Amino acid sequence: MTLEQLRIFVAVAERLHMTRAAEALRLTQSAVSAAVAALEARYGVRLFDRVGRGLALNATGAAFLPEARAVLAQAEAAERVLDDLAGLKRGAVRLFASQTIAAYWLPPRMAAFARAHPEIQLHLSIGNTHRVVEAVLAGEAELGLIEGAFEASRVEKVRMDADRLVVVAAPGHPLAGRVEALSTAELKALDWVLREEGSGTRSEFEAALSSGVAAGLRAVLTLPSNEAILSAVAAGGLVTAISELAAQPLIGAGRLVRLPLDLPERPFHLLRHRERRPSRAAEAFASAL
């Protein structure tokens, strides 16, 4: 059974005339007759009685007519959904972002997109860089956003923006106010609080240091969020390397100070699966970013 057969059956049932139905559908009379005959033959039923030179809907046809109309109505509703999606009137985008991006960089951009496309829902999940890449590879997210380095041949990455890591401590720390760059020995003597393995912040920080320095850092605390790390450092005695975006509010409030260690810029990347076709809504959001 095809939608075309259903449309033809309904048109004939409403007019009880093959020629008029054919004219309404802009088909030939032979095509209309063949479609009705095929439907009857396929299911071994008669839908119309031939009365004289006209047609009459029999009991089988009368019972089938509301069902055929319901199927056609549902098909039209499905077409409207696709039309809406194509026109960005409806849809949803599943996003997965690393913590720094999700907490500080992404929200205002999501808000701007929501204002422009209020019928498109944005669903954001948060994890470290490793988890974001996993989500994109598994199809859990159409788009991922990370600030850490990664290797995945099936993931396409596009640079969107950049941030910089800074080393911070509480104002009462012995090195607060220091002007000269921290030496290797001083870095190794500090008590550090760092993000967990797999986070972009930690991987980028360790990559910026020589392997000997990175391995020699004394990490007295490992915490899973920027907020927890900033609270621990502000309490005194500890230092950390963290996103400037994340630290700036506390630096501005005088609760943290920067220590003199020049670290390279780190890019923010948008991730997409090379083999999965993104939705129209996801394409629009990526373009907006």
Side-chain angles (χ1 to χ4, degrees):
M1 184 186 301
T2 67
L3 291 176
E4 184 67 4
Q5 288 174 335
L6 292 183
R7 290 190 182 95
I8 292 172
F9 163 72
V10 170
V12 174
E14 289 175 344
R15 294 165 181 81
L16 296 177
H17 200 285
M18 291 286 184
T19 302
R20 291 172 189 162
E23 290 172 351
L25 296 169
R26 298 184 179 179
L27 297 172
T28 64
Q29 181 177 338
S30 60
V32 170
S33 298
V36 171
L39 196 57
E40 291 177 327
R42 171 68 179 82
Y43 295 97
V45 297
R46 297 291 296 273
L47 299 170
F48 299 94
D49 290 329
R50 277 66 177 177
V51 180
R53 301 177 68 178
L55 294 176
L57 200 62
N58 62 22
T60 302
F64 182 56
L65 181 58
E67 300 298 326
R69 284 172 171 158
V71 171
L72 291 175
Q74 189 63 42
E76 289 173 1
E79 288 177 344
R80 286 195 297 272
V81 169
L82 291 178
D83 287 341
D84 286 346
L85 291 170
L88 295 178
K89 296 178 183 177
R90 291 179 59 182
V93 184
R94 290 171 290 119
L95 307 168
F96 218 120
S98 56
Q99 285 194 23
T100 300
I101 292 175
Y104 304 99
W105 185 85
L106 192 56
R109 290 162 173 82
M110 292 177 66
F113 185 84
R115 288 193 297 270
H117 304 285
E119 300 303 320
I120 296 180
Q121 298 179 345
L122 300 176
H123 302 290
L124 175 62
S125 298
I126 302 173
N128 62 31
T129 293
H130 178 73
R131 180 69 186 95
V132 174
V133 175
E134 280 187 339
V136 173
L137 286 171
E140 297 174 41
E142 286 189 275
L143 301 174
L145 289 131
I146 64 166
E147 72 268 11
F150 77 98
E151 295 294 334
S153 61
R154 289 183 294 157
V155 174
E156 173 192 5
K157 67 177 182 178
V158 179
R159 179 175 170 137
M160 306 303 294
D161 205 341
D163 184 23
R164 187 176 297 276
L165 291 179
V166 293
V167 176
V168 295
H173 193 279
L175 293 178
R178 171 72 174 269
V179 177
E180 299 82 10
L182 298 176
S183 67
T184 296
E186 287 173 322
L187 291 175
K188 290 183 177 180
L190 293 171
D191 289 331
W192 292 85
V193 52
L194 299 174
R195 283 286 304 277
E196 76 284 3
E197 296 285 348
S199 77
T201 297
R202 181 158 182 168
S203 65
E204 290 294 307
F205 178 52
E206 292 178 345
L209 305 174
S210 67
S211 58
V213 174
L217 294 181
R218 189 165 64 221
V220 299
L221 281 179
T222 300
L223 296 176
S225 74
N226 292 335
E227 290 73 19
I229 287 175
L230 290 169
S231 294
V233 173
L238 302 174
V239 300
T240 192
I242 199 164
S243 159
E244 188 172 26
L245 278 173
Q248 191 55 51
L250 292 183
I251 294 173
R255 296 183 58 197
L256 293 177
V257 295
R258 293 180 61 161
L259 299 185
L261 182 66
D262 188 27
L263 295 171
E265 184 179 78
R266 61 174 186 165
F268 291 166
H269 285 114
L270 176 72
L271 309 184
R272 286 179 283 211
H273 199 295
R274 295 184 186 277
E275 299 166 3
R276 299 181 190 273
R277 183 174 181 177
S279 67
R280 187 69 63 87
E283 289 179 343
F285 185 70
S287 296
L289 291 182

